Amino acid sequence: MFARIALIGIGLIGSSLAHVIRREGLAGETVVSTRSADTLKRAEELGLGDRYEADAATAVRDADLVIVSVPVGASGSVAKAIAGALKPGAILTDVGSTKRSVIDQMAPHVPQGVHFIPGHPIAGTERSGPDAGFADLFEGRWCILTPVDGTDEAAADRLRAFWEACGSRVDVMDADHHDRVLAIVSHLPHIIAYNIVGTADDLETVTKSEVIKYSASGFRDFTRLAASDPTMWRDVCLHNRDAILEMLARFSEDLSALQRAVRWGDGDKLFDLFTRTRAIRRSIIEAGQDTAEPDFGRHADHAPKG
Amino acid sequence: MFARIALIGIGLIGSSLAHVIRREGLAGETVVSTRSADTLKRAEELGLGDRYEADAATAVRDADLVIVSVPVGASGSVAKAIAGALKPGAILTDVGSTKRSVIDQMAPHVPQGVHFIPGHPIAGTERSGPDAGFADLFEGRWCILTPVDGTDEAAADRLRAFWEACGSRVDVMDADHHDRVLAIVSHLPHIIAYNIVGTADDLETVTKSEVIKYSASGFRDFTRLAASDPTMWRDVCLHNRDAILEMLARFSEDLSALQRAVRWGDGDKLFDLFTRTRAIRRSIIEAGQDTAEPDFGRHADHAPKG
Ligand SMILES: NC(=O)c1ccc[n+]([C@@H]2O[C@H](COP(=O)([O-])OP(=O)(O)OC[C@H]3O[C@@H](n4cnc5c(N)ncnc54)[C@H](OP(=O)(O)O)[C@@H]3O)[C@@H](O)[C@H]2O)c1
Ligand SMILES: NC(=O)c1ccc[n+]([C@@H]2O[C@H](COP(=O)([O-])OP(=O)(O)OC[C@H]3O[C@@H](n4cnc5c(N)ncnc54)[C@H](OP(=O)(O)O)[C@@H]3O)[C@@H](O)[C@H]2O)c1
């Protein structure tokens, strides 16, 4: 599909791309580059690419597709480092969780003749690093492209076909709309999860060991998101500030109303909200975006009894 | 272990008890009773008991162990209905998610000579009704007993042995402490989950179909809890008001600080919180209360591509 693909950044997303590119035969040659010597060495041990380059500019030379998979706060410096080495006609894309900020950081560095088409696969896990990737990550998930004005259609079609070959379905939207959608479906959930885990960690009246022992009654569902990579999530918060603050304000307003209903014992209001929210889960399951098994179908690795 | 066990209420918890009682041979005879004729009929079709009684008082007659598994708001009326028929020396327990309120509702009806020992298995799923139960529900999970003053020790030991035979580990604590612990590990998580799903449902700028399509980026983790039974959760909110309001206040205070950090771009503060919260998940996994598999080990039932 592409004679040469360069992967800049080889964490969860980069290494998942490496796996699926190999499995589906999407590249004649895959070149891997990452910031640290340790991660590059690990990528080589895992056999993620065909060639490994410490220098990102060297890695992108003659590549037809360059995929940048680094925390969004690093997009600008990576773009700057590789800009001069990009081949005319190459497609440059990214996988960052925010899009307006990435465009603002990367676009100014992109040379004439290179097709810069930002993207974001809506798929992930709480793990990070080159060992975390797997070829099925994108299977059945959506990938959102947020092309800038004047994007070459043939290039956009090639990138779409690439993501489809990775198992994804592809949507196209405006970067600002992307950022607002992701603020509610992803950024707010992570922030709320981090917050509640922090609150539980800080209580004086309930011990940490109690929180851990009894977590199966609900709390543990939040800890998965709250175990995600701190650097990635710091960057997301810093780079999608306005949309996140907007969603946080809505959430807090609704929470105040709920709090009032609890305080005044308004059972009907509580019952109404608690009924309305069931429909969404059903739709998510029907859309193939979650499992219908109770408890996510998970099976705990039970500790020995004692 | 008991010559006759009466199960009053045969939803998720009652039917799970029925399954494990049969599998482990914990009762000579299991008598099932529930409010509605439909549910009782379904329990019989599922073969959950040995005998089925529409009238709860008839069901508890001569039972050595009576387990009430109904929404906490119904505990008082159930206690009143069965009180006169309880056998002297019998153990009466419940499984309600709040304990102080259940004690206040049930204790006044309990006749002399009956051992009333409130309990709460820390195990559940988002499903409800007699079809939702399974014998393994309590396996490796904790069950909290909150005995009142002057509880007979031999009776408490028998109840503990019963829960251990169901696969649980047993803890004993004061009812008020239970309510505060559960407010943070279970009630607040459910309320927050219901709230965020409600917020997403109400937005004008992001469509419901977008929320559903892109939910794999975090949102879907909340929808499981928000699909739980509305009656049960309305009752929990009404019957553990003070502890829930206390935890909500703490949560909101922490969220305001986080919001401020986002607004002012305080990356260090965000990074610190996002780092600290990882340790708790690790401890929960080590304690056997969650799976270590990424994404809870879930495998979505993928919808056909299109
Ligand atoms: N995780 C998810 O669920 C998910 C989902 C969709 C999109 N995304 C987005 O995908 C991107 C990568 O996320 P990931 O989960 O793959 O992260 P990850 O597993 O933590 O890997 C990060 C990669 O970026 C490199 N990197 C980190 N800081 C850098 C810097 N300052 N300059 C240059 N390179 C740097 C790392 O290099 P070294 O290890 O060599 O330092 C590593 O190769 C992020 O923009 C994220 O928002 C993530
Ligand atoms: N679900 C959980 O995750 C979980 C975990 C731990 C503890 N608990 C506690 O366990 C108890 C039962 O929960 P569950 O999940 O088993 O509920 P469920 O599946 O909804 O079943 C509820 C049972 O209670 C009966 N019931 C409902 N309203 C009643 C009323 N007003 N008067 C008398 N009976 C009534 C129902 O009878 P009909 O169907 O015949 O109307 C049914 O038998 C609750 O107190 C809950 O707080 C739940």
Side-chain angles (χ1 to χ4, degrees), chain B residues 8-15 33-40 68-75 77-78 94-98 102 120-130 132 137 190 228-229 231-233 235-236:
Chain B
I8 312 300
I10 196 76
L12 169 68
I13 302 297
S15 66
S33 182
T34 184
R35 178 181 57 169
S36 74
D38 281 359
T39 304
L40 194 63
V68 175
S69 311
V70 302
V72 292
S75 321
S77 61
V78 168
D94 80 307
V95 299
S97 305
T98 72
V102 165
H120 178 202
I122 310 301
T125 76
E126 64 276 27
R127 302 288 174 84
S128 56
L137 180 63
H190 279 82
S228 301
D229 186 62
T231 304
M232 167 183 164
W233 284 99
D235 278 14
V236 167

Side-chain angles (χ1 to χ4, degrees), chain B residues 43-110:
Chain B
E44 188 161 5
E45 286 165 9
L46 293 165
L48 295 174
D50 302 304
R51 198 146 60 72
Y52 304 87
E53 297 288 351
D55 180 55
T58 309
V60 304
R61 216 171 291 282
D62 283 325
D64 308 282
L65 174 64
V66 175
I67 308 178
V68 175
S69 311
V70 302
V72 292
S75 321
S77 61
V78 168
K80 191 170 168 205
I82 61 176
L86 292 166
K87 170 168 112 169
I91 296 173
L92 170 65
T93 189
D94 80 307
V95 299
S97 305
T98 72
K99 296 271 60 84
R100 175 56 60 200
S101 153
V102 165
I103 293 172
D104 289 348
Q105 292 177 75
M106 293 184 74
H109 299 290
V110 180

Side-chain angles (χ1 to χ4, degrees), chain A residues 9-13 34-36 39 69-71 74 95-97 121 123-124 128-129 232:
Chain A
I10 196 76
L12 169 69
I13 302 296
T34 185
R35 179 181 56 170
S36 73
T39 304
S69 311
V70 303
V95 299
S97 305
S128 56
M232 166 182 165

Side-chain angles (χ1 to χ4, degrees), chain B residues 39-245:
Chain B
T39 304
L40 194 63
K41 182 156 161 278
R42 185 64 192 145
E44 188 161 5
E45 286 165 9
L46 293 165
L48 295 174
D50 302 304
R51 198 146 60 72
Y52 304 87
E53 297 288 351
D55 180 55
T58 309
V60 304
R61 216 171 291 282
D62 283 325
D64 308 282
L65 174 64
V66 175
I67 308 178
V68 175
S69 311
V70 302
V72 292
S75 321
S77 61
V78 168
K80 191 170 168 205
I82 61 176
L86 292 166
K87 170 168 112 169
I91 296 173
L92 170 65
T93 189
D94 80 307
V95 299
S97 305
T98 72
K99 296 271 60 84
R100 175 56 60 200
S101 153
V102 165
I103 293 172
D104 289 348
Q105 292 177 75
M106 293 184 74
H109 299 290
V110 180
Q112 275 288 339
V114 168
H115 307 293
F116 173 48
I117 308 172
H120 178 202
I122 310 301
T125 76
E126 64 276 27
R127 302 288 174 84
S128 56
D131 286 275
F134 54 99
D136 274 340
L137 180 63
F138 310 108
E139 186 68 36
R141 301 281 165 257
W142 290 88
C143 179
I144 299 176
L145 303 181
T146 62
V148 295
D149 280 352
T151 295
D152 182 80
E153 266 190 43
D157 286 348
R158 288 192 75 196
L159 186 59
R160 172 192 282 272
F162 170 80
W163 279 109
E164 286 172 352
C166 293
S168 284
R169 295 176 273 183
V170 176
D171 263 340
V172 172
M173 67 177 74
D174 169 73
D176 292 320
H177 187 63
H178 166 278
D179 286 358
R180 200 170 286 120
V181 171
L182 269 290
I184 186 69
V185 298
S186 177
H187 308 169
L188 187 63
H190 279 82
I191 286 173
I192 295 303
Y194 279 120
N195 193 67
I196 195 171
V197 175
T199 302
D201 196 32
D202 278 345
L203 294 174
E204 312 83 31
T205 50
V206 176
T207 67
K208 207 167 300 185
S209 106
E210 288 173 322
V211 169
I212 290 161
K213 280 163 81 172
Y214 310 131
S215 59
S217 53
F219 183 76
R220 62 179 177 155
D221 279 20
F222 291 76
T223 59
R224 186 183 84 79
L225 297 182
S228 301
D229 186 62
T231 304
M232 167 183 164
W233 284 99
R234 177 202 60 199
D235 278 14
V236 167
C237 289
L238 298 178
H239 290 269
N240 195 22
R241 199 189 62 157
D242 293 348
I244 288 174
L245 288 175

